[in-house]
Amino acid sequence: MFWIIILLLVAMCVFLPNLWVKHVMEKYSQPADRYREQGNGAELARHLLDSFGLDNVDVEESLTVITMIQPQRSFACRRTTTQDTH
């Protein structure tokens, strides 16, 4: 009986998040053009800059598509050696 309860809990932890995401995606998928009348990214950027008092910052169109921004990471490796005492 104990193992059945554990198995049910594991199954719930695996499958319920998937069902919840599907439910939320279906709920908010309609209408598809719900953001069309609210402006574009440039207008949003201008509004945010103006609201924070950054009137001297220009908003310009960029033709470059950035797919992923990944900051450079620096790694430090330290090799430790052990000496045999034979």
Side-chain angles (χ1 to χ4, degrees):
M1 185 67 169
F2 174 74
W3 292 109
I4 294 173
I5 293 173
I6 295 296
L7 183 64
L8 286 174
L9 287 174
V10 169
M12 287 174 45
C13 289
V14 169
F15 293 111
L16 284 180
N18 182 24
L19 294 174
W20 178 254
V21 168
K22 284 183 181 180
H23 166 73
V24 170
M25 294 298 285
E26 286 177 15
K27 181 179 178 181
Y28 292 107
S29 66
Q30 298 298 328
D33 62 347
R34 64 188 171 276
Y35 300 116
R36 299 276 186 232
E37 67 274 354
Q38 295 178 359
N40 59 22
E43 292 171 358
L44 173 63
R46 182 77 267 151
H47 168 73
L48 291 173
L49 290 169
D50 291 342
S51 66
F52 287 108
L54 300 170
D55 300 324
N56 57 347
V57 177
D58 293 330
V59 176
E60 61 185 40
E61 181 179 354
S62 173
L63 300 177
T64 304
V65 177
I66 299 173
T67 57
M68 184 174 70
I69 298 174
Q70 190 175 47
Q72 288 197 350
R73 299 179 185 169
S74 60
F75 296 96
C77 297
R78 183 178 2 155
R79 176 177 285 177
T80 57
T81 59
T82 59
Q83 295 178 355
D84 293 331
T85 56
H86 291 288

